[in-house]
Amino acid sequence: MHFLRTNVILLAAGTAQLTRAHTTFSTLFVDNENQGDGIAIRMSNINEESNYPIPAANITGPDMACGVNGETGVPRIAAAKAGSQLTFEWREIPNKPGMKVIADAHLGPCAVYMKKVDNSAASNNAAGDGWFKILEETYDSTEQKWCTEKLMATPGGHLAATIPVDLAPGYYLVRPELLALHQAAEQPPFPQFYVGCAQIFLSSGGSATPSDTVSIPGYVSFETTPALTYNVWDENLKLPFPTFGPPVYKTNSTKCNLTQQAMTQEFGLKREECVMENHRWCAVMPPQYSDQDSCWASSNNCWNQSNTCFDTAPPTGYQVCTSWETYCRDIQDACPARNSNGLPSIENRLPTPWPELTGNVFPASTKRKRSHVRHHGRRHL
């Protein structure tokens, strides 16, 4: 007999205290299509610290590339095209969509970097050279607002960047970065980097490989980067803001032929047998049964998958696990009744579709919204 883990988790969560709240890159949208919370994203494996910044002592360490646990690839790779808009959702509390993005005092710039790799689902390929910048937003002197302030003003905390149309096809890591400077001028200084990495496959007719790249870690240090101790509280800000890293890559139109599609995605595709997925987890239908013994075997298979889902749930939550768990209960309830009609329908247990991107993004985009939504996913509680 198995019991619902959801009830145990909710009870534990009710007694927990949120000691620190900052922000996390939780969800990737490709041309406004929601890939699913935690899907194709490298996330911290320490859920209770997943929204923490990189410690100041570690800004020259490997966590600066894709965050804590960022050298560990995840199974799924999102498909994108040359010129696609990538939108990164940021949440102060990873499993609470639609709430705050980050605390109001967290003022500072934003950027998005990319790095070409052999397989973006493979591990140990984030830290090191090869990172180029496709977006940078700092301080807007006209509006007198930092990038993070404009990000807070979007519904859902959506930072958007466009993939250059001339990039060579293949696998890439994409790294959104927020830098909160509210404690940068203190002693000791504490510039707060919030980073994460999405895994994408780029279908493109381009051939460009940006040469103006940097190593992450290595692109900033307290000795060489004035931005790390910049005082955002000065009445007279020292402008322009001292940017860091490479310049934003500019498209070279001579290196693109948009009618040519040179590569086909081989890694990171969703498995056909997956009926639900959550970050690293994929649910496969339990075996059919025709008698009570095989019913119990099918039930145990389902519950074992459920346990794996909960055990590997990312900071964005476990609601998909709850949907699967409910289906396991359907099978379990059929066994004592000697129901030998085979597996019950799963259709009414599937998670609700992931919602498409709505509302404004920053920087503003002219990309048109798609009319369909992505199925077999759900916003996590």
Side-chain angles (χ1 to χ4, degrees):
M1 179 68 68
H2 296 267
F3 299 94
L4 299 180
R5 286 184 62 176
T6 304
N7 296 335
V8 177
I9 293 174
L10 289 175
L11 179 62
T15 61
Q17 297 295 318
L18 185 63
T19 57
R20 202 180 297 180
H22 300 284
T23 196
T24 301
F25 164 39
S26 65
T27 311
L28 173 69
F29 297 79
V30 180
D31 291 329
N32 302 314
E33 184 177 324
N34 192 332
Q35 303 301 297
D37 285 1
I39 300 296
I41 299 174
R42 301 184 178 191
M43 305 192 80
S44 173
N45 57 347
I46 309 174
N47 285 8
E48 62 273 18
E49 298 180 4
S50 61
N51 57 356
Y52 287 14
I54 303 297
N58 294 351
I59 64 171
T60 56
D63 288 353
M64 274 294 281
C66 290
V68 174
N69 199 42
E71 287 295 340
T72 303
V74 296
R76 295 276 277 108
I77 298 174
K81 298 178 181 179
S84 282
Q85 176 183 284
L86 303 180
T87 304
F88 313 93
E89 181 167 311
W90 293 85
R91 300 176 188 168
E92 185 175 45
I93 303 176
N95 62 348
K96 299 291 184 183
M99 298 181 68
K100 284 183 69 70
V101 177
I102 192 171
D104 294 346
H106 289 53
L107 307 177
C110 317
V112 177
Y113 291 76
M114 294 180 66
K115 178 181 180 177
K116 197 171 191 302
V117 294
D118 292 334
N119 175 2
S120 43
S123 297
N124 302 313
N125 57 6
D129 200 3
W131 291 98
F132 58 96
K133 189 185 295 181
I134 64 168
L135 175 78
E136 182 173 59
E137 296 287 340
T138 59
Y139 183 77
D140 185 331
S141 298
T142 302
E143 296 188 23
Q144 298 185 345
K145 289 183 178 180
W146 289 94
C147 175
T148 54
E149 292 179 283
K150 293 187 176 185
L151 185 61
M152 294 176 211
T154 68
H158 293 133
L159 180 69
T162 300
I163 299 176
V165 297
D166 63 337
L167 289 183
Y171 297 91
Y172 289 81
L173 298 177
V174 188
R175 174 186 178 272
E177 170 190 278
L178 307 185
L179 172 57
L181 295 168
H182 56 297
Q183 294 180 322
E186 296 183 1
Q187 293 299 325
F190 185 18
Q192 297 184 8
F193 281 93
Y194 300 90
V195 302
C197 283
Q199 302 177 169
I200 71 165
F201 172 78
L202 176 61
S203 176
S204 168
S207 61
T209 302
S211 58
D212 206 346
T213 64
V214 294
S215 176
I216 302 179
Y219 73 130
V220 295
S221 70
F222 282 105
E223 292 74 25
T224 63
T225 313
L228 300 188
T229 54
Y230 188 88
N231 190 346
V232 294
W233 305 116
D234 271 347
E235 290 188 10
N236 297 309
L237 290 176
K238 296 179 174 62
L239 298 174
F241 176 76
T243 58
F244 52 91
V248 175
Y249 175 73
K250 301 297 183 183
T251 295
N252 183 344
S253 59
T254 65
K255 293 189 175 182
C256 59
N257 174 7
L258 300 184
T259 63
Q260 176 188 357
Q261 301 296 323
M263 288 182 65
T264 300
Q265 182 174 350
E266 298 178 1
F267 306 117
L269 297 167
K270 182 178 179 179
R271 291 162 50 190
E272 290 185 4
E273 64 269 30
C274 283
V275 291
M276 298 184 196
E277 61 177 348
N278 191 34
H279 193 49
R280 299 179 182 277
W281 177 82
C282 158
V284 177
M285 290 296 289
Q288 282 287 358
Y289 55 85
S290 57
D291 54 35
Q292 191 175 45
D293 287 344
S294 57
C295 180
W296 284 118
S298 182
S299 174
N300 287 333
N301 175 286
C302 191
W303 285 106
N304 287 337
Q305 292 189 66
S306 176
N307 288 334
T308 301
C309 186
F310 280 103
D311 291 342
T312 60
T316 45
Y318 53 84
Q319 186 58 43
V320 172
C321 309
T322 301
S323 296
W324 181 254
E325 181 183 58
T326 304
Y327 183 63
C328 296
R329 173 57 64 87
D330 292 343
I331 300 174
Q332 176 178 290
D333 289 347
C335 297
R338 299 180 182 275
N339 184 339
S340 59
N341 295 327
L343 290 170
S345 172
I346 197 173
E347 289 304 315
N348 63 343
R349 298 305 188 192
L350 292 174
T352 54
W354 295 105
E356 70 174 11
L357 182 65
T358 58
N360 296 330
V361 300
F362 177 75
S365 169
T366 57
K367 282 277 183 181
R368 297 181 63 182
K369 299 189 184 305
R370 301 172 66 122
S371 60
H372 67 278
V373 292
R374 191 173 185 83
H375 289 268
H376 304 321
R378 188 174 185 170
R379 294 270 186 194
H380 297 209
L381 299 176

